[in-house]
Amino acid sequence: MGMSVTISAADERDAEQILKLQYLCFQSEAELYGDYRIEPLVQTLDELRDELAGGCVMVARLGEEVVGTVRGKVDAEGTARIGRLCVHPRLQGHGLGGRLLAAVESGLAEEFAPKRYHLVTGSRSEGNLRLYRRLGYTPVGTERDRRVTLVALAKDATEYATSA
């Protein structure tokens, strides 16, 4: 009696599940950097609801449970800024992150026609870096967020992610 994971656009009803999943998933990142005040762990429900209303937020569902999420928004220069990609720990390593990234890229392309995609991840987050490189992203610089060095990665919007 297996269920398959489905990916679709999120809506307001998903906000609490997304926030709980985000909090669970980013614990390992916080531990890796010794900083439990990273943005995904301090975001409020109201801030998340604003993101749901103003961008493209995708969720992966296993039945009624949200088990993955990612979001993106296109800025005035045409750059799609993608963030907060996370997959429930029990489902990691099965390609769901790649599927979510492809879904948000596709959703952003259809609605906003961005010129490029941009995302950041921690410099010590080797699994994330491998995934993003495999899906066509290349490092374009570094950024600093509190005590965490972030690697900025980008790719041209004509390149779509494929599930890896």
Side-chain angles (χ1 to χ4, degrees), residues 32-52:
L32 186 60
Y33 298 98
D35 186 353
Y36 288 86
R37 300 279 309 149
I38 59 175
E39 286 235 1
L41 298 183
V42 297
Q43 184 175 30
T44 67
L45 188 56
D46 286 339
E47 290 169 341
L48 176 58
R49 285 186 174 125
D50 287 344
E51 287 184 14
L52 282 166

Side-chain angles (χ1 to χ4, degrees), residues 101-122:
L101 190 55
V104 77
E105 287 179 5
S106 178
L108 289 164
E110 288 174 22
E111 193 168 341
F112 302 103
K115 297 175 185 171
R116 73 198 64 75
Y117 298 106
H118 179 274
L119 49 79
V120 296
T121 192

Side-chain angles (χ1 to χ4, degrees), residues 3 5 22 42 54 64 66 71 77 79 84 86 114-115 125 128 132 134 142 153 155:
M3 281 195 266
V5 175
Q22 176 178 300
V42 297
E64 296 298 314
V66 172
R71 62 198 82 163
E77 290 80 39
T79 299
R84 308 274 165 86
C86 60
K115 297 175 185 171
S125 304
N128 296 349
Y132 299 144
R134 189 168 58 241
T142 58
L153 300 106
K155 74 174 181 179

Side-chain angles (χ1 to χ4, degrees), residues 13-148:
R13 295 173 300 216
D14 298 316
E16 288 185 39
Q17 280 195 68
I18 291 170
L19 196 62
K20 287 176 184 175
L21 177 66
Q22 176 178 300
Y23 188 80
L24 171 68
C25 292
F26 280 91
Q27 292 294 316
S28 59
E29 291 292 301
E31 183 177 350
L32 186 60
Y33 298 98
D35 186 353
Y36 288 86
R37 300 279 309 149
I38 59 175
E39 286 235 1
L41 298 183
V42 297
Q43 184 175 30
T44 67
L45 188 56
D46 286 339
E47 290 169 341
L48 176 58
R49 285 186 174 125
D50 287 344
E51 287 184 14
L52 282 166
C56 178
V57 181
M58 305 301 288
V59 291
R61 287 185 176 80
L62 184 60
E64 296 298 314
E65 179 186 8
V66 172
V67 294
T69 186
V70 64
R71 62 198 82 163
K73 187 173 187 176
V74 178
D75 66 19
E77 290 80 39
T79 299
R81 304 214 174 257
I82 297 172
R84 308 274 165 86
L85 173 63
C86 60
V87 174
H88 195 288
R90 76 176 188 269
L91 295 175
Q92 290 176 3
H94 299 285
L96 189 50
R99 287 178 56 202
L100 278 162
L101 190 55
V104 77
E105 287 179 5
S106 178
L108 289 164
E110 288 174 22
E111 193 168 341
F112 302 103
K115 297 175 185 171
R116 73 198 64 75
Y117 298 106
H118 179 274
L119 49 79
V120 296
T121 192
S123 61
R124 298 180 195 162
S125 304
E126 289 300 322
N128 296 349
L129 288 165
R130 275 192 307 275
L131 171 67
Y132 299 144
R133 285 184 180 123
R134 189 168 58 241
L135 297 177
Y137 286 83
T138 57
V140 294
T142 58
E143 301 173 13
R144 195 90 173 130
D145 179 23
R146 298 172 40 82
R147 299 184 335 207
V148 178

